[in-house]
């Protein structure tokens, strides 16, 4: 499972002032906790700042990478902001994200073509958020094909089916899970990325719902998620589910998680 740490997001109450005050130490501490929790990428999002977003996004990448040798997941629909962030990024970044929406597609594709990068491909077009597996696959197919045609390796494509809240429609969880299964079957060389926590919107005990959903998605083949890597119960559930799915030779990762205290209590 590739884990993208979600915590450095300006829409979070704790993060916005750190960015406004250019509090590098504060940002580094949050990055540190996520690295220690097992993040493979650090998501950076400064989307609440309309005018300053490019400058702030660039500063976030510089700040995180001044301390850690870890790639960032550059989370913005704004091509100017992504471009600024890419200028300073070291290693292979993940661009979050492109979609089949006309403007986003036209603006982001040149950046994806120019840099060697990974890219999250949202199953979304100008008709809005997808609801069913078939709607998602109808967007995924042309989007993946176009990316590959432009020279992006399937291994660098992370398809995001977009999670919708099960409290809004009781089939939203199932349609998402069926999409992961279909993507795995139709495009086995591409990967997945998604923010699963939207599933529990408006329900009590959200973390419980998120964790059970994660385990079910792993059983369908999910291989990437944007989440809080400091959430030990979530990480323990992921490790265990992957072990049970045959993705953990000799149960090595499970036993390491046990030794590291990740499985307690
Ligand atoms: N797909 C892709 N990118 C994404 C998302 C996605 N980026 C943004 C988002 N969804 C994932 N990131 C976050 C970051 C923080 C929180 C949730 C998702 C979060 N939320 C708190 C909550 O819901 O309780 C409230 C915020 C706060 O602390 O103020 O922390 O789906 N490609």
């Amino acid at each position: 499972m590739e884990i993208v740490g979600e915590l450095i997001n300006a829409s979070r109450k704790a993060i916005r002032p750190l960015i406004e005050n250019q509090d590098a130490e504060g940002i580094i501490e949050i990055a540190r906790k996520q690295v220690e929790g097992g993040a493979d990428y650090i998501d950076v999002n400064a989307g609440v700042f309309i005018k300053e977003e490019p400058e702030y996004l660039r500063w976030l990448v510089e700040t995180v990478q001044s301390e850690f040798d870890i790639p960032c997941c550059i989370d913005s629909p704004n091509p100017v902001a992504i471009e600024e962030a890419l200028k300073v990024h070291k290693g292979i970044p993940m661009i979050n994200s492109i979609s089949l929406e006309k403007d986003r597609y036209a603006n982001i594709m040149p950046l994806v073509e120019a840099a060697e990068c990974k890219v999250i491909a949202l199953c979304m077009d100008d008709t809005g958020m997808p609801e069913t597996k078939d709607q998602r696959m109808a967007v995924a197919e042309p989007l993946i094909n176009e990316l590959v045609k432009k020279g992006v390796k399937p291994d660098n494509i992370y398809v995001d089916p977009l999670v919708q809240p099960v409290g809004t429609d009781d089939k939203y969880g199932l349609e998402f899970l069926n999409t992961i299964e279909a993507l795995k079957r139709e495009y086995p060389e591409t990967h997945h990325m998604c923010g699963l926590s939207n599933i529990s919107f408006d329900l009590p005990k959200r973390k419980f719902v998120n964790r059970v959903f994660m385990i079910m998605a792993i059983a369908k083949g999910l291989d990437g998620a944007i989440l809080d890597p400091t959430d030990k119960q979530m990480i323990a559930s992921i490790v265990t589910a992957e072990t049970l799915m045959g993705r953990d030779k000799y149960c090595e990762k499970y036993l390491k998680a046990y030794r590291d205290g990740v499985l307690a209590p």
Side-chain angles (χ1 to χ4, degrees):
M1 172 77 58
E2 284 195 271
I3 293 175
V4 175
E6 73 182 11
L7 296 179
I8 303 181
N9 188 312
S11 71
R12 297 182 63 235
K13 288 183 282 296
I15 297 298
R16 185 181 179 136
L18 298 180
I19 298 177
E20 276 173 326
N21 302 327
Q22 305 271 287
D23 181 347
E25 274 179 32
I27 292 293
I28 286 168
E29 273 327 294
I30 293 165
R32 183 185 313 284
K33 289 195 188 119
Q34 297 189 90
V35 171
E36 287 171 0
D40 299 296
Y41 289 82
I42 301 293
D43 191 85
V44 287
N45 180 314
V48 299
F49 303 103
I50 310 294
K51 194 166 123 296
E52 303 92 341
E53 190 194 1
E55 173 198 339
Y56 284 171
L57 202 60
R58 176 180 166 145
W59 176 79
L60 284 173
V61 170
E62 283 174 325
T63 303
V64 169
Q65 293 196 324
S66 70
E67 196 73 15
F68 306 102
D69 185 13
I70 189 166
C72 291
C73 178
I74 299 170
D75 189 352
S76 171
N78 177 354
V80 179
I82 296 176
E83 203 171 2
E84 276 302 298
L86 288 175
K87 279 183 193 164
V88 296
H89 189 279
K90 292 179 275 188
I92 297 176
M94 185 179 288
I95 293 181
N96 183 9
S97 49
I98 193 165
S99 75
L100 219 53
E101 296 158 286
K102 270 207 170 53
D103 287 348
R104 191 185 297 219
Y105 181 85
N107 292 332
I108 306 296
M109 187 60 97
L111 299 173
V112 173
E113 279 189 87
E116 198 203 346
C117 66
K118 310 210 167 221
V119 62
I120 298 177
L122 304 182
C123 291
M124 185 150 92
D125 61 15
D126 287 308
T127 66
M129 287 285 280
E131 297 185 13
T132 64
K133 177 204 74 173
D134 290 343
Q135 287 170 2
R136 289 176 168 96
M137 295 305 284
V139 176
E141 186 194 342
L143 189 49
I144 292 169
N145 288 343
E146 284 302 314
L147 285 163
V148 170
K149 230 190 274 172
K150 301 278 185 187
V152 182
K153 293 191 207 92
D155 187 46
N156 286 338
I157 300 173
Y158 291 71
V159 183
D160 184 342
L162 291 165
V163 176
Q164 297 260 55
V166 72
T168 303
D169 183 311
D170 53 25
K171 295 295 185 293
Y172 278 170
L174 182 64
E175 293 288 342
F176 175 90
L177 295 168
N178 288 341
T179 306
I180 294 296
E181 189 172 48
L183 286 168
K184 194 90 204 154
R185 185 176 59 239
E186 304 288 334
Y187 308 101
E189 291 172 4
T190 66
H191 301 284
H192 317 117
M193 193 51 68
C194 54
L196 285 182
S197 64
N198 213 23
I199 192 66
S200 59
F201 184 73
D202 247 3
L203 289 177
K205 295 277 181 196
R206 289 190 65 175
K207 287 195 163 192
F208 176 72
V209 178
N210 296 346
R211 217 157 56 233
V212 173
F213 193 51
M214 173 63 80
I215 294 166
M216 296 172 78
I218 290 171
K220 294 290 193 189
L222 181 80
D223 67 4
I226 307 177
L227 50 80
D228 174 2
T230 70
D231 177 349
K232 277 196 178 183
Q233 293 200 58
M234 176 59 92
I235 298 297
S237 301
I238 292 171
V239 171
T240 309
E242 293 215 282
T243 300
L244 294 170
M245 280 300 289
R247 292 198 219 158
D248 183 13
K249 221 170 182 197
Y250 308 121
C251 303
E252 268 173 6
K253 289 180 189 159
Y254 182 83
L255 293 170
K256 180 172 190 308
Y258 171 70
R259 285 194 304 273
D260 291 348
V262 176
L263 303 181

mmCIF file of all heavy atoms in Angstrom, residues 104-140:
data_model
loop_
_atom_site.group_PDB
_atom_site.id
_atom_site.type_symbol
_atom_site.label_atom_id
_atom_site.label_comp_id
_atom_site.label_asym_id
_atom_site.label_seq_id
_atom_site.Cartn_x
_atom_site.Cartn_y
_atom_site.Cartn_z
ATOM 1 N N ARG A 104 -9.335 21.390 -16.604
ATOM 2 C CA ARG A 104 -8.282 20.761 -15.815
ATOM 3 C C ARG A 104 -7.401 19.897 -16.712
ATOM 4 O O ARG A 104 -6.172 19.916 -16.617
ATOM 5 C CB ARG A 104 -8.856 19.938 -14.653
ATOM 6 C CG ARG A 104 -7.737 19.535 -13.712
ATOM 7 C CD ARG A 104 -8.081 18.611 -12.568
ATOM 8 N NE ARG A 104 -9.008 19.076 -11.576
ATOM 9 C CZ ARG A 104 -8.871 18.833 -10.261
ATOM 10 N NH1 ARG A 104 -7.799 18.231 -9.800
ATOM 11 N NH2 ARG A 104 -9.790 19.198 -9.421
ATOM 12 N N TYR A 105 -8.036 19.148 -17.584
ATOM 13 C CA TYR A 105 -7.286 18.283 -18.490
ATOM 14 C C TYR A 105 -6.298 19.106 -19.334
ATOM 15 O O TYR A 105 -5.106 18.795 -19.402
ATOM 16 C CB TYR A 105 -8.254 17.526 -19.398
ATOM 17 C CG TYR A 105 -7.566 16.593 -20.354
ATOM 18 C CD1 TYR A 105 -7.213 15.302 -19.965
ATOM 19 C CD2 TYR A 105 -7.234 17.006 -21.640
ATOM 20 C CE1 TYR A 105 -6.553 14.445 -20.830
ATOM 21 C CE2 TYR A 105 -6.572 16.158 -22.513
ATOM 22 C CZ TYR A 105 -6.243 14.886 -22.107
ATOM 23 O OH TYR A 105 -5.575 14.054 -22.968
ATOM 24 N N ALA A 106 -6.810 20.192 -19.938
ATOM 25 C CA ALA A 106 -5.969 21.009 -20.823
ATOM 26 C C ALA A 106 -4.837 21.691 -20.056
ATOM 27 O O ALA A 106 -3.726 21.839 -20.569
ATOM 28 C CB ALA A 106 -6.837 22.061 -21.520
ATOM 29 N N ASN A 107 -5.106 22.090 -18.823
ATOM 30 C CA ASN A 107 -4.104 22.825 -18.045
ATOM 31 C C ASN A 107 -3.046 21.928 -17.412
ATOM 32 O O ASN A 107 -1.887 22.323 -17.268
ATOM 33 C CB ASN A 107 -4.789 23.621 -16.924
ATOM 34 C CG ASN A 107 -5.623 24.756 -17.469
ATOM 35 O OD1 ASN A 107 -5.331 25.294 -18.541
ATOM 36 N ND2 ASN A 107 -6.673 25.119 -16.737
ATOM 37 N N ILE A 108 -3.468 20.741 -16.997
ATOM 38 C CA ILE A 108 -2.551 19.883 -16.232
ATOM 39 C C ILE A 108 -1.722 18.961 -17.140
ATOM 40 O O ILE A 108 -0.571 18.654 -16.850
ATOM 41 C CB ILE A 108 -3.323 19.041 -15.172
ATOM 42 C CG1 ILE A 108 -4.189 19.942 -14.273
ATOM 43 C CG2 ILE A 108 -2.378 18.189 -14.340
ATOM 44 C CD1 ILE A 108 -3.459 20.928 -13.415
ATOM 45 N N MET A 109 -2.316 18.549 -18.272
ATOM 46 C CA MET A 109 -1.604 17.595 -19.134
ATOM 47 C C MET A 109 -0.209 18.084 -19.549
ATOM 48 O O MET A 109 0.751 17.298 -19.506
ATOM 49 C CB MET A 109 -2.452 17.242 -20.360
ATOM 50 C CG MET A 109 -1.870 16.132 -21.211
ATOM 51 S SD MET A 109 -1.654 14.577 -20.320
ATOM 52 C CE MET A 109 -3.148 13.728 -20.799
ATOM 53 N N PRO A 110 -0.039 19.352 -19.934
ATOM 54 C CA PRO A 110 1.316 19.782 -20.311
ATOM 55 C C PRO A 110 2.332 19.620 -19.172
ATOM 56 O O PRO A 110 3.501 19.298 -19.418
ATOM 57 C CB PRO A 110 1.137 21.272 -20.655
ATOM 58 C CG PRO A 110 -0.312 21.440 -20.940
ATOM 59 C CD PRO A 110 -1.039 20.423 -20.123
ATOM 60 N N LEU A 111 1.893 19.810 -17.939
ATOM 61 C CA LEU A 111 2.804 19.658 -16.799
ATOM 62 C C LEU A 111 3.190 18.192 -16.622
ATOM 63 O O LEU A 111 4.339 17.863 -16.326
ATOM 64 C CB LEU A 111 2.143 20.171 -15.515
ATOM 65 C CG LEU A 111 1.747 21.648 -15.506
ATOM 66 C CD1 LEU A 111 0.959 21.986 -14.247
ATOM 67 C CD2 LEU A 111 2.989 22.525 -15.613
ATOM 68 N N VAL A 112 2.202 17.321 -16.814
ATOM 69 C CA VAL A 112 2.452 15.882 -16.678
ATOM 70 C C VAL A 112 3.408 15.409 -17.777
ATOM 71 O O VAL A 112 4.298 14.591 -17.533
ATOM 72 C CB VAL A 112 1.120 15.096 -16.746
ATOM 73 C CG1 VAL A 112 1.357 13.594 -16.769
ATOM 74 C CG2 VAL A 112 0.218 15.476 -15.569
ATOM 75 N N GLU A 113 3.245 15.978 -18.976
ATOM 76 C CA GLU A 113 4.100 15.582 -20.091
ATOM 77 C C GLU A 113 5.528 16.070 -19.911
ATOM 78 O O GLU A 113 6.475 15.408 -20.315
ATOM 79 C CB GLU A 113 3.552 16.177 -21.394
ATOM 80 C CG GLU A 113 2.413 15.401 -21.997
ATOM 81 C CD GLU A 113 2.077 15.937 -23.384
ATOM 82 O OE1 GLU A 113 2.707 15.489 -24.357
ATOM 83 O OE2 GLU A 113 1.207 16.826 -23.471
ATOM 84 N N ALA A 114 5.668 17.249 -19.285
ATOM 85 C CA ALA A 114 6.983 17.883 -19.206
ATOM 86 C C ALA A 114 7.870 17.290 -18.119
ATOM 87 O O ALA A 114 9.088 17.203 -18.289
ATOM 88 C CB ALA A 114 6.820 19.390 -18.979
ATOM 89 N N ALA A 115 7.253 16.881 -17.006
ATOM 90 C CA ALA A 115 8.062 16.402 -15.885
ATOM 91 C C ALA A 115 7.958 14.894 -15.814
ATOM 92 O O ALA A 115 6.924 14.327 -16.167
ATOM 93 C CB ALA A 115 7.539 17.009 -14.588
ATOM 94 N N GLU A 116 9.025 14.226 -15.328
ATOM 95 C CA GLU A 116 8.846 12.815 -15.030
ATOM 96 C C GLU A 116 8.150 12.754 -13.684
ATOM 97 O O GLU A 116 8.707 13.162 -12.658
ATOM 98 C CB GLU A 116 10.173 12.056 -14.983
ATOM 99 C CG GLU A 116 9.908 10.562 -15.122
ATOM 100 C CD GLU A 116 11.005 9.684 -14.550
ATOM 101 O OE1 GLU A 116 12.104 10.181 -14.267
ATOM 102 O OE2 GLU A 116 10.727 8.478 -14.363
ATOM 103 N N CYS A 117 6.902 12.332 -13.702
ATOM 104 C CA CYS A 117 6.146 12.377 -12.454
ATOM 105 C C CYS A 117 5.100 11.273 -12.432
ATOM 106 O O CYS A 117 4.839 10.614 -13.424
ATOM 107 C CB CYS A 117 5.470 13.737 -12.306
ATOM 108 S SG CYS A 117 4.221 14.035 -13.537
ATOM 109 N N LYS A 118 4.541 11.109 -11.242
ATOM 110 C CA LYS A 118 3.371 10.269 -11.092
ATOM 111 C C LYS A 118 2.168 11.194 -11.122
ATOM 112 O O LYS A 118 2.294 12.376 -10.813
ATOM 113 C CB LYS A 118 3.450 9.521 -9.771
ATOM 114 C CG LYS A 118 4.825 8.852 -9.640
ATOM 115 C CD LYS A 118 4.802 7.608 -8.831
ATOM 116 C CE LYS A 118 6.099 6.852 -9.015
ATOM 117 N NZ LYS A 118 5.919 5.438 -9.130
ATOM 118 N N VAL A 119 1.016 10.655 -11.482
ATOM 119 C CA VAL A 119 -0.160 11.531 -11.576
ATOM 120 C C VAL A 119 -1.415 10.800 -11.112
ATOM 121 O O VAL A 119 -1.612 9.624 -11.427
ATOM 122 C CB VAL A 119 -0.323 12.103 -13.010
ATOM 123 C CG1 VAL A 119 -0.548 11.001 -14.033
ATOM 124 C CG2 VAL A 119 -1.459 13.127 -13.067
ATOM 125 N N ILE A 120 -2.217 11.515 -10.319
ATOM 126 C CA ILE A 120 -3.510 10.979 -9.895
ATOM 127 C C ILE A 120 -4.544 11.384 -10.943
ATOM 128 O O ILE A 120 -4.664 12.559 -11.290
ATOM 129 C CB ILE A 120 -3.906 11.508 -8.507
ATOM 130 C CG1 ILE A 120 -2.878 11.066 -7.459
ATOM 131 C CG2 ILE A 120 -5.313 11.027 -8.136
ATOM 132 C CD1 ILE A 120 -3.127 11.596 -6.051
ATOM 133 N N ALA A 121 -5.265 10.389 -11.449
ATOM 134 C CA ALA A 121 -6.278 10.612 -12.482
ATOM 135 C C ALA A 121 -7.664 10.436 -11.852
ATOM 136 O O ALA A 121 -8.058 9.316 -11.512
ATOM 137 C CB ALA A 121 -6.072 9.619 -13.619
ATOM 138 N N LEU A 122 -8.361 11.540 -11.668
ATOM 139 C CA LEU A 122 -9.696 11.478 -11.059
ATOM 140 C C LEU A 122 -10.717 10.967 -12.069
ATOM 141 O O LEU A 122 -10.719 11.406 -13.224
ATOM 142 C CB LEU A 122 -10.152 12.863 -10.595
ATOM 143 C CG LEU A 122 -9.280 13.662 -9.631
ATOM 144 C CD1 LEU A 122 -9.976 14.979 -9.279
ATOM 145 C CD2 LEU A 122 -8.972 12.871 -8.376
ATOM 146 N N CYS A 123 -11.606 10.102 -11.614
ATOM 147 C CA CYS A 123 -12.687 9.604 -12.477
ATOM 148 C C CYS A 123 -13.796 10.647 -12.544
ATOM 149 O O CYS A 123 -14.930 10.399 -12.092
ATOM 150 C CB CYS A 123 -13.235 8.290 -11.946
ATOM 151 S SG CYS A 123 -12.073 6.938 -12.089
ATOM 152 N N MET A 124 -13.465 11.792 -13.105
ATOM 153 C CA MET A 124 -14.451 12.872 -13.138
ATOM 154 C C MET A 124 -14.350 13.624 -14.463
ATOM 155 O O MET A 124 -13.246 13.853 -14.962
ATOM 156 C CB MET A 124 -14.198 13.826 -11.976
ATOM 157 C CG MET A 124 -15.246 14.891 -11.870
ATOM 158 S SD MET A 124 -15.480 15.412 -10.187
ATOM 159 C CE MET A 124 -14.359 16.758 -10.126
ATOM 160 N N ASP A 125 -15.509 13.992 -15.002
ATOM 161 C CA ASP A 125 -15.534 14.857 -16.175
ATOM 162 C C ASP A 125 -16.484 16.024 -15.898
ATOM 163 O O ASP A 125 -16.880 16.221 -14.750
ATOM 164 C CB ASP A 125 -15.934 14.070 -17.434
ATOM 165 C CG ASP A 125 -17.326 13.466 -17.319
ATOM 166 O OD1 ASP A 125 -18.086 13.876 -16.422
ATOM 167 O OD2 ASP A 125 -17.646 12.577 -18.129
ATOM 168 N N ASP A 126 -16.824 16.781 -16.927
ATOM 169 C CA ASP A 126 -17.625 17.990 -16.680
ATOM 170 C C ASP A 126 -19.078 17.689 -16.302
ATOM 171 O O ASP A 126 -19.821 18.598 -15.948
ATOM 172 C CB ASP A 126 -17.564 18.921 -17.902
ATOM 173 C CG ASP A 126 -16.197 19.588 -18.001
ATOM 174 O OD1 ASP A 126 -15.767 20.183 -16.991
ATOM 175 O OD2 ASP A 126 -15.561 19.495 -19.061
ATOM 176 N N THR A 127 -19.468 16.423 -16.344
ATOM 177 C CA THR A 127 -20.837 16.097 -15.912
ATOM 178 C C THR A 127 -20.930 15.961 -14.393
ATOM 179 O O THR A 127 -22.009 15.755 -13.850
ATOM 180 C CB THR A 127 -21.361 14.793 -16.578
ATOM 181 O OG1 THR A 127 -20.569 13.693 -16.105
ATOM 182 C CG2 THR A 127 -21.280 14.866 -18.087
ATOM 183 N N GLY A 128 -19.783 16.043 -13.691
ATOM 184 C CA GLY A 128 -19.822 16.047 -12.223
ATOM 185 C C GLY A 128 -19.308 14.775 -11.584
ATOM 186 O O GLY A 128 -18.691 13.943 -12.250
ATOM 187 N N MET A 129 -19.556 14.658 -10.276
ATOM 188 C CA MET A 129 -19.038 13.516 -9.507
ATOM 189 C C MET A 129 -19.695 12.225 -9.974
ATOM 190 O O MET A 129 -20.914 12.172 -10.154
ATOM 191 C CB MET A 129 -19.352 13.713 -8.024
ATOM 192 C CG MET A 129 -18.506 14.773 -7.343
ATOM 193 S SD MET A 129 -16.807 14.227 -7.025
ATOM 194 C CE MET A 129 -17.023 13.241 -5.540
ATOM 195 N N PRO A 130 -18.906 11.166 -10.135
ATOM 196 C CA PRO A 130 -19.476 9.885 -10.562
ATOM 197 C C PRO A 130 -20.204 9.192 -9.405
ATOM 198 O O PRO A 130 -19.838 9.379 -8.247
ATOM 199 C CB PRO A 130 -18.234 9.084 -10.942
ATOM 200 C CG PRO A 130 -17.167 9.616 -10.043
ATOM 201 C CD PRO A 130 -17.473 11.071 -9.857
ATOM 202 N N GLU A 131 -21.207 8.425 -9.723
ATOM 203 C CA GLU A 131 -21.946 7.699 -8.690
ATOM 204 C C GLU A 131 -21.773 6.186 -8.815
ATOM 205 O O GLU A 131 -21.594 5.496 -7.835
ATOM 206 C CB GLU A 131 -23.430 8.072 -8.756
ATOM 207 C CG GLU A 131 -23.629 9.561 -8.460
ATOM 208 C CD GLU A 131 -25.088 9.961 -8.384
ATOM 209 O OE1 GLU A 131 -25.952 9.063 -8.323
ATOM 210 O OE2 GLU A 131 -25.348 11.168 -8.383
ATOM 211 N N THR A 132 -21.825 5.694 -10.044
ATOM 212 C CA THR A 132 -21.767 4.239 -10.228
ATOM 213 C C THR A 132 -20.396 3.799 -10.738
ATOM 214 O O THR A 132 -19.602 4.615 -11.218
ATOM 215 C CB THR A 132 -22.809 3.789 -11.263
ATOM 216 O OG1 THR A 132 -22.459 4.381 -12.524
ATOM 217 C CG2 THR A 132 -24.214 4.230 -10.873
ATOM 218 N N LYS A 133 -20.162 2.495 -10.661
ATOM 219 C CA LYS A 133 -18.940 1.922 -11.213
ATOM 220 C C LYS A 133 -18.855 2.216 -12.714
ATOM 221 O O LYS A 133 -17.796 2.590 -13.226
ATOM 222 C CB LYS A 133 -18.932 0.408 -10.993
ATOM 223 C CG LYS A 133 -17.736 -0.283 -11.603
ATOM 224 C CD LYS A 133 -17.995 -1.756 -11.892
ATOM 225 C CE LYS A 133 -18.892 -1.926 -13.101
ATOM 226 N NZ LYS A 133 -19.092 -3.294 -13.566
ATOM 227 N N ASP A 134 -19.987 2.065 -13.414
ATOM 228 C CA ASP A 134 -19.962 2.264 -14.858
ATOM 229 C C ASP A 134 -19.606 3.701 -15.227
ATOM 230 O O ASP A 134 -18.868 3.946 -16.187
ATOM 231 C CB ASP A 134 -21.312 1.867 -15.476
ATOM 232 C CG ASP A 134 -21.517 0.351 -15.422
ATOM 233 O OD1 ASP A 134 -20.520 -0.375 -15.227
ATOM 234 O OD2 ASP A 134 -22.670 -0.099 -15.552
ATOM 235 N N GLN A 135 -20.130 4.666 -14.466
ATOM 236 C CA GLN A 135 -19.770 6.069 -14.729
ATOM 237 C C GLN A 135 -18.271 6.287 -14.508
ATOM 238 O O GLN A 135 -17.602 6.980 -15.276
ATOM 239 C CB GLN A 135 -20.565 7.007 -13.811
ATOM 240 C CG GLN A 135 -22.032 7.143 -14.196
ATOM 241 C CD GLN A 135 -22.846 7.872 -13.125
ATOM 242 O OE1 GLN A 135 -22.332 8.316 -12.107
ATOM 243 N NE2 GLN A 135 -24.142 7.985 -13.374
ATOM 244 N N ARG A 136 -17.750 5.680 -13.466
ATOM 245 C CA ARG A 136 -16.317 5.848 -13.178
ATOM 246 C C ARG A 136 -15.461 5.221 -14.284
ATOM 247 O O ARG A 136 -14.491 5.810 -14.751
ATOM 248 C CB ARG A 136 -15.974 5.217 -11.834
ATOM 249 C CG ARG A 136 -16.529 6.006 -10.652
ATOM 250 C CD ARG A 136 -16.230 5.278 -9.343
ATOM 251 N NE ARG A 136 -16.494 6.101 -8.181
ATOM 252 C CZ ARG A 136 -17.620 6.081 -7.466
ATOM 253 N NH1 ARG A 136 -18.600 5.262 -7.799
ATOM 254 N NH2 ARG A 136 -17.762 6.874 -6.430
ATOM 255 N N MET A 137 -15.832 4.018 -14.694
ATOM 256 C CA MET A 137 -15.038 3.327 -15.721
ATOM 257 C C MET A 137 -15.139 4.057 -17.064
ATOM 258 O O MET A 137 -14.182 4.063 -17.840
ATOM 259 C CB MET A 137 -15.496 1.878 -15.863
ATOM 260 C CG MET A 137 -15.261 1.016 -14.622
ATOM 261 S SD MET A 137 -13.553 0.990 -14.032
ATOM 262 C CE MET A 137 -12.795 -0.103 -15.241
ATOM 263 N N ALA A 138 -16.279 4.715 -17.295
ATOM 264 C CA ALA A 138 -16.459 5.451 -18.561
ATOM 265 C C ALA A 138 -15.533 6.669 -18.618
ATOM 266 O O ALA A 138 -15.218 7.153 -19.708
ATOM 267 C CB ALA A 138 -17.919 5.887 -18.716
ATOM 268 N N VAL A 139 -15.107 7.167 -17.476
ATOM 269 C CA VAL A 139 -14.132 8.262 -17.453
ATOM 270 C C VAL A 139 -12.708 7.708 -17.410
ATOM 271 O O VAL A 139 -11.804 8.210 -18.081
ATOM 272 C CB VAL A 139 -14.364 9.199 -16.243
ATOM 273 C CG1 VAL A 139 -13.296 10.279 -16.175
ATOM 274 C CG2 VAL A 139 -15.754 9.827 -16.316
ATOM 275 N N ALA A 140 -12.517 6.650 -16.609
ATOM 276 C CA ALA A 140 -11.168 6.094 -16.430
ATOM 277 C C ALA A 140 -10.583 5.642 -17.770
ATOM 278 O O ALA A 140 -9.402 5.901 -18.048
ATOM 279 C CB ALA A 140 -11.203 4.918 -15.451
#
